[in-house]
Amino acid sequence: QLQLQESGPGLVKPSETLSLTCTVSGGSISSSSYYWGWIRQPPGKGLELIGTIYYRGTTYYNPSLKSRVTISVDTSKNQFSLKLSSVTAADTAVYYCARVNIVAMMDYWGQGTLVTVSS
Amino acid sequence: QSALTQPPSASGSPGQSVTFSCTGTSSDVGAYSYVSWYQQHPGKAPKLLIFEVSKRPSGVPDRFSGSKSGNTASLTVSGLQAEDEADYYCSSYAGSNTRGVFGGGTKLTVL
């Protein structure tokens, strides 16, 4: 059974960079059929796709966040990572990682991790 | 990319049926048969409920069904149960230059 697990600091100061890692187990991140994505959900609000990465490194970023987002992959560790720079309180959210197929279906999700932006 | 439009809330009594709508455009919902629905209970990760408009993953009860007409997709929950009380999100493929767009979610209350 495929499992995804987010990890990283739960508290980030304003203007700093948020960094999270998603570890994939029970399957290979190098599957040719899937992308790997980051999705966030501010408290009490809906889901927002941050971006995706293919195991070969091809990325897609949400245009609204593109200038601040970097997603990378480490196939040797079966992990992919998110960096979001210059964070503000508006970036406070639960961050999820998920497996995404080529037509945007997200079938496996991590449990999510709350990141709070505060000084 | 613009978010898909979902009503913020819906309700029904146990045993009844309720239908949620998800309205997009001719560039997403109307263009492709790749609409997905997700169920999210409080404090939990979203769970895939429906994919490719009307297909159910293994383990999802057949009380959940999906359909699409034009730019609007719909999710129907039949035989409402207390455990169906949750938030429901739709998403749609919108072309090879994107990885999909979400709706704002509908909160289902079982009365």
Side-chain angles (χ1 to χ4, degrees):
Chain A
Q1 176 80 346
L2 193 74
Q3 292 186 319
L4 292 84
Q5 178 68 58
E6 305 88 352
S7 59
L11 180 64
V12 182
K13 290 182 168 56
S15 80
E16 295 190 343
T17 296
L18 177 160
S19 296
L20 295 173
T21 296
C22 181
T23 301
V24 179
S25 58
S28 174
I29 203 169
S30 300
S31 169
S32 60
S33 303
Y34 297 99
Y35 298 88
W36 303 90
W38 287 99
I39 301 98
R40 71 179 184 178
Q41 184 173 36
K45 296 188 178 180
L47 301 168
E48 178 183 36
L49 177 67
I50 299 169
T52 63
I53 191 163
Y54 192 56
Y55 78 96
R56 290 182 176 174
T58 306
T59 54
Y60 163 81
Y61 299 138
N62 185 322
S64 68
L65 297 168
K66 188 173 184 177
S67 63
R68 299 193 291 130
V69 173
T70 303
I71 298 176
S72 58
V73 64
D74 186 337
T75 55
S76 68
K77 295 182 178 178
N78 231 31
Q79 294 176 334
F80 62 106
S81 298
L82 168 71
K83 291 188 185 298
L84 181 65
S85 64
S86 304
V87 297
T88 69
D91 295 310
T92 293
V94 175
Y95 286 76
Y96 296 100
C97 58
R99 189 176 80 168
V100 187
N101 80 353
I102 59 171
V103 287
M105 177 191 76
M106 299 165 194
D107 56 353
Y108 288 93
W109 294 68
Q111 65 184 27
T113 187
L114 174 63
V115 179
T116 302
V117 179
S118 175
S119 55
Chain B
Q1 65 232 12
S2 301
L4 307 177
T5 300
Q6 296 184 250
S9 63
S11 63
S13 299
Q16 288 185 334
S17 294
V18 63
T19 297
F20 312 131
S21 63
C22 169
T23 301
T25 69
S26 58
S27 297
D28 39 60
V29 175
Y32 306 98
S33 293
Y34 296 124
V35 175
S36 301
W37 290 90
Y38 302 87
Q39 179 190 59
Q40 186 181 35
H41 287 107
K44 300 294 187 182
K47 170 191 170 185
L48 180 65
L49 209 57
I50 296 285
F51 66 100
E52 293 179 15
V53 175
S54 60
K55 298 178 181 179
R56 287 184 306 275
S58 174
V60 173
D62 60 6
R63 302 188 295 105
F64 296 91
S65 61
S67 62
K68 191 190 82 160
S69 178
N71 295 339
T72 298
S74 299
L75 172 70
T76 298
V77 186
S78 304
L80 271 176
Q81 300 180 3
E83 67 209 49
D84 298 332
E85 186 161 294
D87 294 324
Y88 292 83
Y89 293 91
C90 63
S91 76
S92 176
Y93 181 66
S96 59
N97 291 330
T98 78
R99 293 293 175 264
V101 59
F102 284 106
T106 297
K107 182 178 182 61
L108 172 63
T109 300
V110 180
L111 302 170

